[in-house]
Amino acid sequence: MYDKYYKEILEKLPKLSITCESATINILNSACAVESVRENKALIDSIKLLLSQAREGRELAKKKNNERGQAQRGSFQKAGQDEKPPDNFLELPVVPTKLDLQADAKPFVRCAVVDGAYESVHDYLDIQFRLMRQDFILPTKNWN
């Protein structure tokens, strides 16, 4: 009976699966430590079922996270380091606009320079501002 509720929780909130899995392992270990409970095969089987559901939920959460990451990576314009921005970063709003939050928005971002130097201070600030802005926008985007 409880396994239905447990499964429903894990389907609706897959991020809780790691916590549920850990708690279920603790319950199973505690149950096995008590001889009278250990002999109750139905109870131990129920706990093992809950554990398998938690593990399935963890795998589902991992899969959804990977899919979301792929969608996010595909939402950027492919901009090379030598490509010039289409607009001045000083004119971009700090607060995201409604257009910025749409799933199909294609922001202009370039990778930070790791080896070598930036062309100018303006170029450095442009790249860093756009990257930081996207760090704040991505978690709030509508990924329906």
Side-chain angles (χ1 to χ4, degrees):
M1 177 176 146
Y2 293 112
D3 61 322
K4 292 177 186 176
Y5 297 117
Y6 199 68
K7 190 170 186 172
E8 185 75 19
I9 289 169
L10 291 171
E11 286 176 5
K12 301 287 185 207
L13 303 167
K15 289 183 179 180
L16 292 178
S17 60
I18 294 172
T19 304
C20 291
E21 181 181 6
S22 176
T24 307
I25 289 170
N26 289 338
I27 291 169
L28 183 60
N29 289 338
S30 298
C32 289
V34 178
E35 186 176 337
S36 61
V37 176
R38 185 175 49 228
E39 293 173 0
N40 186 340
K41 183 161 174 38
L43 179 61
I44 297 298
D45 288 344
S46 294
I47 296 171
K48 287 180 180 179
L49 176 63
L50 294 177
L51 181 58
S52 70
Q53 289 176 347
R55 288 182 173 149
E56 288 172 14
R58 179 174 38 90
E59 290 302 316
L60 177 65
K62 186 192 274 188
K63 182 180 176 186
K64 283 184 179 181
N65 195 28
N66 288 340
E67 289 171 356
R68 192 175 124 210
Q70 289 173 352
Q72 288 175 349
R73 284 189 293 278
S75 68
F76 293 107
Q77 288 181 10
K78 303 295 183 207
Q81 280 310 112
D82 55 342
E83 191 173 338
K84 295 299 174 203
D87 50 6
N88 187 345
F89 80 95
L90 295 170
E91 296 171 3
L92 289 174
V94 174
V95 177
T97 64
K98 188 175 182 179
L99 293 173
D100 291 325
L101 298 176
Q102 292 178 348
D104 60 348
K106 301 275 186 197
F108 179 88
V109 291
R110 295 176 285 174
C111 294
V113 175
V114 178
D115 294 323
Y118 289 89
E119 287 184 28
S120 65
V121 172
H122 186 272
D123 195 44
Y124 167 78
L125 292 173
D126 179 85
I127 290 171
Q128 295 302 319
F129 176 77
R130 291 174 193 270
L131 288 171
M132 187 177 295
R133 189 168 185 268
Q134 286 308 307
D135 282 344
F136 287 103
I137 291 174
L138 279 176
T140 62
K141 269 190 158 185
N142 184 8
W143 293 102
N144 292 335

